[in-house]
Amino acid sequence: MRKHPLGAIWLQRDPKNPPGRLNLRTGLREGIIAAALLAAVFRGEASAGVNTWTTNGPEGGWIISIAIDPQTPATLYAGTVSRGVFKSANGGGIWSPINAGLTSNEVNALAIDPSAEATLYVGTFPATSSDPGGVFKSTNGGASWTAVNAGLADTSTGAYVSSLAIDLSAPATLYAGTINQGVFKTSNGGTSWSAANTGMPANAFVRSLAIDHSTPATIYAGTDDAGVYKTTDGGASWTAANAGLPTGTFVYALAIDPSTPATLYAGTDGGVFKSINGGASWTAVNNGLTTDRVLALAIDPSLPATVYAGSLDDGVFKSTNGGGNWIPVNTGLTEGYADALVIDPSTPSTLYAGAFTSGVAKSTNGGGSWAAMNTGLTGGILVFSLAADPSAPATIYGGGNGGVYKSTNSGGSWRAVNNGLTNPLFNGLRVFAVAIDRSTPSTLYAAGYGGIFKSTNAGDRWTAANTGLAAVPGPIVFSLAIDPSATSTVYAGTYRTGVYKSTDGAGSWTAANAGLPTGTFVYALAIDPSTPATLYAGTDGGVFKSING
C-alpha cells in the first residue's frame, strides 16, 4: 500500500481499472478518496456568508455518465463522481445541481424513460457507511429523488450500481449492473428488484449493459475479468459470449448497431472488439487506435457505420467504416480521458463527452472540434493547495485534479493555466502544491505527478524543472516551500524520496534527507519566516525539523 498525499491510503491504479472504478482487489479508488470525505459538504447548496461556504469553481470535474432526453434533446443530465447529478436545459450551456433526496454523490449510470421524459433513474455508489447507494428515481425531471432499492443487491453493505439499461418498449423494465453481485431486474419501475444472474460468474462485476431494442429480451453484459455475457430471455439465464475475446477481458462499454442489431461493439482493456453475429464471435478492430483502454462507445443512429470511442489516455476516436479504422478527433479537448459519450438523436453531428477533470465537452461537427460546456458545473474539482499573489491578493492559484487554476477576482471565477504541464505517470494532471516567489510574484512553482514545473509569466507557460530529482516511480512531489529571504532557495517534499533542495530557482535539485528515514513521504513543508534555516516537514512518520536548511 502507498499513501495518498492527503493522508488517506491509496494504491497505484490497476491498469485494468480506470480511475473512479472500484478496484476489485482493494475496494479503494485511486485519486478520489478525498472526494468521499467531502461528499457530505457537497450535498446542499449554500449561500456565501458568515459560517457558510459555497463554491465558484473551478468549473468542470469528473463526469462519469451523460444522458440526453430523447424527446427534448437540449435537456441533458450529467452524473459526477462527487457532486451527484447536474442538469442543463440548453444543450450544456448552463448546468445546475439537482440532488434533492439523492444521498449518493457518485453517479455511474443514467437512464431516461422514453415515454415519460420527467422519469429518470440513476445508479450510484454508497457515499458513506450508512448510505445505501443503489438506484434512485425521479418523476419530476430530477427536482427530487427517491431510493428504489427493494431487493437490490446487498443493502447491508450498500448497493454499488455501475450500469443501467432501460427497455424502450416497456420502460418499467430496467436492468442494473452491480459490483460483485451481477445483474438485477425490475419490471415495475424500481418498486422491487430481483437478481438475474443464472449462468453468470459468481460475484460478477457488470460494468456495462446493452439491450437489443428490436428484441428486448436480448441483453448483453460487459464484465470485469469475464468478458461479455448474453441473455435471450430477459435475464432469466446468461451464457458467455466470448469467442475471440482474450481471456479475462474487462468490458467497459457496449454498443449495438440500431439498424443491424447483430452488430455490436465492445470497449475493452484491449481496445475495441466487434461482433457481427450477436456476440457469437468477436474480432479486434483497433487500426488507428493509440490506446488499449476504451471506456465509452457511441453509434451515430443515422449513419451506423460511424462509431465514436472514448479512451482512458488518448481522448476520442472516430470511425466512419464500422471500426475498420479510427482517427483521433480531439481538437479542443484538454485531456485524454473520455469516460462518457452520447449523441444527440435528433442531430447526430452533435455529441457530448465527459472527462476526468475537465467536465463536459460538446462537438457540433461530428467530433471535428470540441468546446467546454461547464458553466455552473462546480464543486467537482479536487483542489489540494492554494496560493495568493502577495502583490495582488485578488489573484489566486489553485493546484488540483486538472492542473493549475487561476482566479484574478478573489475566486469569483477560474480558468485553467496548464500550458506546458505534463503528467507522464497517469492520465490527467494532478497538482498537489503551488508556490509563489514573493519577490517576483510572476514566478510560480507547481508540483505533482510529473514532478516540479516553473512559470516565469504568472502561469501562462510552464516548463519542467526536475534536474536531480529522484524518480520512484515519478518524480512525484507533494509539497513546496520557498525561502522568503532568498527566493531562489526552494524545498520540495516528495513521494518516498524525502526532501530535495534547490538554490538556483529549481534549476537543479539535491537530496536534503540526513535524519529522515529512507522512503519518507513528505506531505507538507513550512519555513520559519524569522529564521529561514529552520524548516519543518510533515511526513508519514510525523513531523521532522531542520535548523540548518
Side-chain angles (χ1 to χ4, degrees):
M1 284 189 298
R2 292 166 167 70
K3 292 179 177 140
H4 187 276
L6 297 183
I9 293 175
W10 68 290
L11 298 177
Q12 271 184 247
R13 186 183 70 229
D14 181 336
K16 299 282 190 179
N17 283 276
R21 298 293 191 253
L22 281 179
N23 185 313
L24 289 178
R25 297 164 180 81
T26 67
L28 301 180
R29 276 157 285 174
E30 182 271 320
I32 64 168
I33 296 175
L37 303 177
L38 300 174
V41 176
F42 290 149
R43 288 195 185 112
E45 295 302 311
S47 299
V50 176
N51 294 329
T52 61
W53 295 79
T54 189
T55 179
N56 289 325
E59 293 176 323
W62 194 340
I63 306 301
I64 312 176
S65 51
I66 305 175
I68 296 179
D69 184 330
Q71 296 186 33
T72 311
T75 297
L76 309 171
Y77 299 89
T80 73
V81 79
S82 63
R83 288 279 279 145
V85 182
F86 283 76
K87 181 178 182 177
S88 174
N90 60 356
I94 299 174
W95 297 88
S96 300
I98 50 165
N99 292 322
L102 190 67
T103 60
S104 301
N105 293 321
E106 183 171 338
V107 177
N108 296 280
L110 288 157
I112 300 175
D113 184 332
S115 64
E117 58 185 329
T119 296
L120 56 152
Y121 303 82
V122 295
T124 73
F125 287 175
T128 66
S129 59
S130 60
D131 174 25
V135 177
F136 289 77
K137 180 178 181 178
S138 174
T139 57
N140 52 16
S144 61
W145 299 88
T146 303
V148 287
N149 288 329
L152 181 64
D154 182 358
T155 54
S156 66
T157 58
Y160 291 81
V161 175
S162 48
S163 51
L164 287 172
I166 190 166
D167 184 337
L168 300 185
S169 62
T173 297
L174 291 91
Y175 300 85
T178 71
I179 288 182
N180 295 347
Q181 297 188 64
V183 176
F184 286 75
K185 179 180 180 178
T186 179
S187 300
N188 52 19
T191 301
S192 61
W193 297 82
S194 57
N197 289 322
T198 300
M200 275 204 165
N203 303 318
F205 180 169
V206 178
R207 285 187 186 266
S208 51
L209 289 166
I211 297 177
D212 178 348
H213 293 297
S214 66
T215 311
T218 297
I219 305 136
Y220 301 88
T223 72
D224 272 16
D225 281 320
V228 176
Y229 277 72
K230 178 180 181 179
T231 178
T232 57
D233 51 16
S237 61
W238 298 82
T239 56
N242 288 327
L245 293 178
T247 301
T249 293
F250 285 56
V251 180
Y252 307 126
L254 290 165
I256 298 174
D257 182 330
S259 64
T260 310
T263 296
L264 59 154
Y265 301 84
T268 79
D269 57 344
V272 177
F273 284 79
K274 180 178 182 179
S275 174
I276 58 172
N277 52 16
S281 61
W282 298 86
T283 303
V285 286
N286 291 328
N287 185 34
L289 286 181
T290 56
T291 179
D292 58 359
R293 300 287 186 271
V294 173
L295 309 181
L297 292 167
I299 298 175
D300 184 329
S302 63
L303 297 168
T306 296
V307 186
Y308 299 87
S311 75
L312 175 67
D313 303 301
D314 293 332
V316 179
F317 291 81
K318 181 178 182 178
S319 173
T320 57
N321 57 4
N325 62 281
W326 301 86
I327 59 169
V329 285
N330 292 322
T331 300
L333 293 180
T334 58
E335 63 176 303
Y337 188 107
D339 206 3
L341 282 175
V342 293
I343 294 176
D344 182 333
S346 65
T347 311
S349 59
T350 295
L351 57 155
Y352 300 85
F356 179 35
T357 59
S358 56
V360 176
K362 180 179 182 178
S363 174
T364 58
N365 55 9
S369 60
W370 299 84
M373 304 294 285
N374 290 323
T375 300
L377 196 61
T378 58
I381 299 290
L382 296 183
V383 177
F384 301 118
S385 60
L386 293 167
D389 185 332
S391 64
T395 297
I396 307 165
Y397 299 88
N401 273 11
V404 178
Y405 301 89
K406 181 177 182 179
S407 173
T408 56
N409 57 3
S410 300
S413 59
W414 299 82
R415 64 185 177 92
V417 287
N418 291 331
N419 187 18
L421 289 180
T422 60
N423 175 10
L425 299 177
F426 306 102
N427 177 69
L429 298 172
R430 294 159 180 81
V431 172
F432 299 129
V434 178
I436 299 176
D437 182 334
R438 298 181 65 85
S439 66
T440 310
S442 59
T443 295
L444 314 171
Y445 301 89
Y449 289 167
I452 296 170
F453 293 80
K454 182 176 182 178
S455 173
T456 57
N457 54 10
D460 286 344
R461 175 73 188 177
W462 299 88
T463 55
N466 291 324
T467 300
L469 282 181
V472 187
I476 300 173
V477 178
F478 294 147
S479 52
L480 294 167
I482 300 175
D483 186 328
S485 64
T487 56
S488 61
T489 296
V490 187
Y491 299 88
T494 73
Y495 165 88
R496 293 178 62 188
T497 56
V499 175
Y500 278 73
K501 180 178 181 178
S502 173
T503 57
D504 56 4
S508 59
W509 299 87
T510 57
N513 285 326
L516 289 178
T518 300
T520 294
F521 294 66
V522 180
Y523 302 127
L525 290 166
I527 296 176
D528 182 335
S530 63
T531 310
T534 297
L535 62 154
Y536 301 84
T539 80
D540 57 341
V543 178
F544 286 78
K545 179 179 181 179
S546 173
I547 57 173
N548 56 10

